[in-house]
């Protein structure tokens, strides 16, 4: 009997069906707090440029946001849908519904990501620029794309003066084009090289009321009139960014380039990068310009001092989609990823850099170090023997032996050298006690506190002062709106309070995808849209996560304050991408999914008996 039980147990353990059942129950438990209202399956992935931009969101009135995105593909057409996200009286009460769907003809290419420009939802498809009304999805106009090479890059902005787009030319130049928002006809087009008198493509652009502001690959920021493209002003950012304070920053001769432009009311936020500066010096910084109401040259509000320059967290480069900052005019703050500054100097006065050496070498050096008495004796012998210069090779010593140093001079030199050695040993002991070295594998790694740690930093748009920092790991760029700031970290979506950096709520799904899309806040900060779902490997998905309703203790309960301030978990209201095993259970489990689990259990019983 015992033998038969052991055989049956072995069959049970080795049964694939039982393994499937166990996986199903595990994933059901993990997904029990999530609800799927909508599934989008798209047969393509967005380009890298589309990954950097957040989703196109419009104000629908009455605390409603309208999210516009390409939502599907039929046998003859593309589907573009508008999703209404409505915030209730409480921040956790968020409703999501499909407001409209528009069919676009299917051709030989896939559509670009939808952008918000000129008050319209615009995209490019098969060489045509199409504009939709965000309120009902009606086609505003359909015009031929003015770009002769590749696809246009839309300038996402709230300004309704024009629909701005940038075309990349074969020569490496860029053409800036303004389309009339009423009919899509070209208002004006101008080459960036004709303005700069050099071959400089456009790197960043934004739109202000009555002006298009862009930055080339150098350090110039240029403003063109929205009416006719006439030059309004041009400013060189290099002297402003690298000459903060009475003296120029070391390395300022290497030059600087503008990487990002963000507009918040009448404040233009500029991010610059100085390639000649080291990591410890801070290769990038921010400065703010105040735009003139008369559309004249802007004035400098503030620029970062040398001590305020920033560095990217380890693993990020200037080309990473997580680099762009987020601004919020309502909060008066901007947010970006940075890293804590490494200690500029050790107690020895030398720069602190991570030192890598073989572990055997480090151990041998520590074991073979002479004692202080032996060091003093060897030093005295070396001074006495080295008092006379050594003769050149092949030369005869005609003058006889050189005179030795006097005992008093030798003693003084020994005392001075010993004092220096003692001071150096004491400093090394202080440094070792403060940040002890740690070994991993075959090398000696930098001590804790020497390597910088990533932080999400919030600074004032008006003064540049740091308001708060949060020690988080970056996966996506930040997004800010309505008193909240959202980022994707290795732990999932994190929504923080914009004023203090305190956590508001979170969607606790570990991101599996390799496409770090920027989240978009919706519903007064109670929801966030992510175009790459956190629990999928597909960049062709769309999720809307919402703050989960939270039951607070009864009045008078001691834990009421703690429960009210604790961050809540997220609930996905609209999820796109391929179906997941984790979606087979939980509140949204379908009858088919449950039947599959029952069938797997039945198969296990058949194999067992």
């Amino acid at each position: 009997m015992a033998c038969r039980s052991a055989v049956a147990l072995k069959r049970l353990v080795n049964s694939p069906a039982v393994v499937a059942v166990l996986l199903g129950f595990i994933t059901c438990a993990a997904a029990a707090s999530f609800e799927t209202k909508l599934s989008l399956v798209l047969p393509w992935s967005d380009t890298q440029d589309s990954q950097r931009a957040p989703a196109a969101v419009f104000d629908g009135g009455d605390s409603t946001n309208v999210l516009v995105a390409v939502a599907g593909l039929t046998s003859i057409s593309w589907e573009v849908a508008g999703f209404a996200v409505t915030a209730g009286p409480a921040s956790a009460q968020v409703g999501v519904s499909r407001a409209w769907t528009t069919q676009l003809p299917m051709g030989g290419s896939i559509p670009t990501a939808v952008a918000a420009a000129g008050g319209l939802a615009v995209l490019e498809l098969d060489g045509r620029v199409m504009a939709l009304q965000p309120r009902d999805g009606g086609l505003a106009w359909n015009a031929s794309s003015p770009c002769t090479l590749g696809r246009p890059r839309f300038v996402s902005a709230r300004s309704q003066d024009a629909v701005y787009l940038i075309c990349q030319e074969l020569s490496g130049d860029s053409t800036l084009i303004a389309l009339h928002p009423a009919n899509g006809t070209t208002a004006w087009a101008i080459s960036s090289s004709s303005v700069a008198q050099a071959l400089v493509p456009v790197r960043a652009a934004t739109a202000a009321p009555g002006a298009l502001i862009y930055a080339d690959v150098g350090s110039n920021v240029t403003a063109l009139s929205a009416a006719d493209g006439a030059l309004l002003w041009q400013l060189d950012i290099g002297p402003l960014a690298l000459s903060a304070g009475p003296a120029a920053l070391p390395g300022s001769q290497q030059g600087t380039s503008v990487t990002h432009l963000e507009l918040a009311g009448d404040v233009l936020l500029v991010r610059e990068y100085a390639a000649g500066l080291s990591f410890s010096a801070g290769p990038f910084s921010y400065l703010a310009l105040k735009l003139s109401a008369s559309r004249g040259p802007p004035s400098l509000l503030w620029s970062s001092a040398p001590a305020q320059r920033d560095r990217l967290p380890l693993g990020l480069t200037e080309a990473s989609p997580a680099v762009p900052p987020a601004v919020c005019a309502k909060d008066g703050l901007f947010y970006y990823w940075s890293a804590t500054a490494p200690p500029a100097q050790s107690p020895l006065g030398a720069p602190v850099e991570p030192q890598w050496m073989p572990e055997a070498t480090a151990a041998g050096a520590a074991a073979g170090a002479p004692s202080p008495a032996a060091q003093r004796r060897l030093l005295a012998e070396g001074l006495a023997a080295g008092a006379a210069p050594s003769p050149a090779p092949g030369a005869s010593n005609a003058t006889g032996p050189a005179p030795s140093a006097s005992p008093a001079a030798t003693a003084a030199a020994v005392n001075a050298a010993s004092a220096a050695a003692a001071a150096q040993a004491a400093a090394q002991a202080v440094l070792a006690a403060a940040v002890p070295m740690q070994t991993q594998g075959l090398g000696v790694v930098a001590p804790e506190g020497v390597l910088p740690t990533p932080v999400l930093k919030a600074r004032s748009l008006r003064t540049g002062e740091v308001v708060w920092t949060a020690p988080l790991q970056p996966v996506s760029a930040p997004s800010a709106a309505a008193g909240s700031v959202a980022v994707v970290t290795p732990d999932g979506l994190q929504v923080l309070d914009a004023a203090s950096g305190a956590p508001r709520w979170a969607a606790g799904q570990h991101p599996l995808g390799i496409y770090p899309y920027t989240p978009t806040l919706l519903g007064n900060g109670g929801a966030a849209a992510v175009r790459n779902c956190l629990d999928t490997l597909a960049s062709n998905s769309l999720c809307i996560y919402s703050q989960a309703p939270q039951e607070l203790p009864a009045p008078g309960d001691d834990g009421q304050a703690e429960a009210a301030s604790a961050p809540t978990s997220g609930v996905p209201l609209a999820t796109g991408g391929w179906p997941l095993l984790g979606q087979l259970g939980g509140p949204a489990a379908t009858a088919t999914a449950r039947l599959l689990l029952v069938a797997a259990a039945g198969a296990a019983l058949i194999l067992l008996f």
Side-chain angles (χ1 to χ4, degrees):
M1 184 67 182
C3 183
R4 292 182 59 186
S5 301
V7 173
L9 182 60
K10 183 177 181 182
R11 288 181 179 179
L12 179 65
V13 173
N14 294 334
S15 173
V18 173
V19 175
V21 171
L22 293 177
L23 286 177
F25 282 116
I26 292 173
T27 52
C28 287
S33 61
F34 295 95
E35 181 180 3
T36 302
K37 294 283 182 80
L38 179 67
S39 178
L40 300 179
V41 179
L42 306 178
W44 77 93
S45 299
D46 291 330
T47 61
Q48 186 178 12
D49 290 338
S50 300
Q51 296 172 21
R52 300 170 184 267
V57 178
F58 302 86
D59 186 9
D62 297 331
S63 301
T64 301
N65 298 127
V66 179
L67 173 69
V68 182
V70 180
L73 172 66
T74 66
S75 59
I76 58 174
S77 63
W78 298 95
E79 290 185 352
V80 180
F83 301 97
V85 182
T86 304
S91 60
Q93 298 177 354
V94 178
V96 179
S97 62
R98 183 180 290 221
W100 52 263
T101 302
T102 298
Q103 308 289 333
L104 297 180
M106 183 177 62
S109 64
I110 63 176
T112 62
V114 180
L120 301 170
V122 296
L123 72 158
E124 192 269 350
L125 175 62
D126 292 329
R128 310 286 297 181
V129 177
M130 303 180 184
L132 305 178
Q133 297 289 351
R135 62 178 181 273
D136 56 8
L139 183 64
W141 43 264
N142 180 357
S144 177
S145 175
C147 296
T148 58
L149 178 66
R151 292 184 158 186
R153 176 159 53 105
F154 295 102
V155 179
S156 298
R158 296 183 178 273
S159 175
Q160 300 185 7
D161 296 326
V163 175
Y164 299 106
L165 51 90
I166 302 171
C167 299
Q168 190 68 29
E169 304 298 339
L170 185 61
S171 62
D173 195 8
S174 297
T175 302
L176 300 106
I177 302 173
L179 305 180
H180 290 290
N183 51 26
T185 58
T186 301
W188 52 264
I190 189 170
S191 173
S192 59
S193 61
S194 63
V195 178
Q197 301 299 319
L199 187 62
V200 284
V202 174
R203 186 167 187 177
T206 186
L212 171 65
I213 305 174
Y214 72 92
D216 53 38
V217 293
S219 59
N220 290 326
V221 176
T222 306
L224 304 178
S225 172
D228 53 7
L231 179 64
L232 296 179
W233 50 265
Q234 191 173 59
L235 183 64
D236 186 4
I237 298 299
L240 301 177
L242 297 178
S243 300
L249 191 66
S252 60
Q253 300 300 324
Q254 301 293 334
T256 183
S257 61
V258 178
T259 60
H260 296 85
L261 296 175
E262 297 291 341
L263 188 67
D266 61 347
V267 178
L268 178 64
L269 182 69
V270 182
R271 182 186 185 275
E272 61 82 24
Y273 177 80
L277 296 181
S278 64
F279 177 84
S280 59
F284 75 91
S285 70
Y286 287 90
L287 58 92
L289 304 174
K290 181 177 176 57
L291 300 181
S292 172
S294 61
R295 301 180 187 173
S299 59
L300 179 65
L301 279 177
W302 55 267
S303 61
S304 300
Q308 295 177 314
R309 297 187 65 86
D310 289 280
R311 57 212 51 83
L312 288 175
L314 298 179
L316 295 186
T317 65
E318 285 295 313
S320 299
V323 170
V327 299
C328 186
K330 181 179 179 180
D331 301 324
L333 302 174
F334 68 98
Y335 314 87
Y336 62 96
W337 289 109
S338 180
T340 57
Q345 288 186 339
S346 69
L348 302 177
V352 175
E353 299 290 345
Q355 301 293 329
W356 293 86
M357 59 186 301
E359 190 171 358
T361 304
S371 63
Q375 292 180 4
R376 184 180 180 89
R377 177 178 55 79
L378 292 175
L379 182 60
E381 293 177 355
L383 287 175
S390 301
S396 60
N397 189 358
T399 59
S404 301
S406 64
T410 300
V414 169
N415 292 333
S418 298
Q424 183 179 8
Q428 289 177 347
V430 172
L431 180 60
V435 282
M437 297 293 289
Q438 301 173 359
T439 59
Q440 291 182 357
L442 299 178
V444 177
V445 300
E448 183 180 358
V450 172
L451 287 182
T453 57
V455 293
L456 181 66
K457 185 177 290 188
R459 297 174 63 180
S460 170
L461 281 168
R462 293 290 177 179
T463 63
E465 296 180 357
V466 177
V467 179
W468 54 263
T469 59
L472 299 173
Q473 292 286 341
V475 171
S476 75
S479 175
S484 300
V485 56
V487 292
V488 177
T489 69
D491 295 326
L493 175 69
Q494 308 289 331
V495 180
L496 312 176
D497 181 71
S500 62
R504 288 190 54 187
W505 60 276
Q509 285 190 345
H510 298 279
L512 300 179
I514 60 175
Y515 306 97
Y517 288 85
T518 302
T520 302
L521 284 168
L522 304 166
N524 295 331
V530 181
R531 293 221 315 271
N532 180 25
C533 294
L534 301 178
D535 56 352
T536 69
L537 287 173
S539 62
N540 54 349
S541 56
L542 174 65
C543 288
I544 298 181
Y545 299 95
S546 171
Q547 181 177 2
Q550 185 179 13
E551 296 182 1
L552 297 179
D557 194 345
D558 295 337
Q560 182 174 3
E562 288 78 359
S565 60
T568 59
S569 60
V571 177
L573 297 180
T575 304
W578 299 104
L580 301 178
L581 182 62
Q583 296 175 357
L584 296 179
T590 62
T592 303
R594 294 190 179 96
L595 287 177
L596 288 176
L597 293 178
V598 173
L605 294 177
I606 292 174
L607 292 176
L608 179 62
F609 300 103

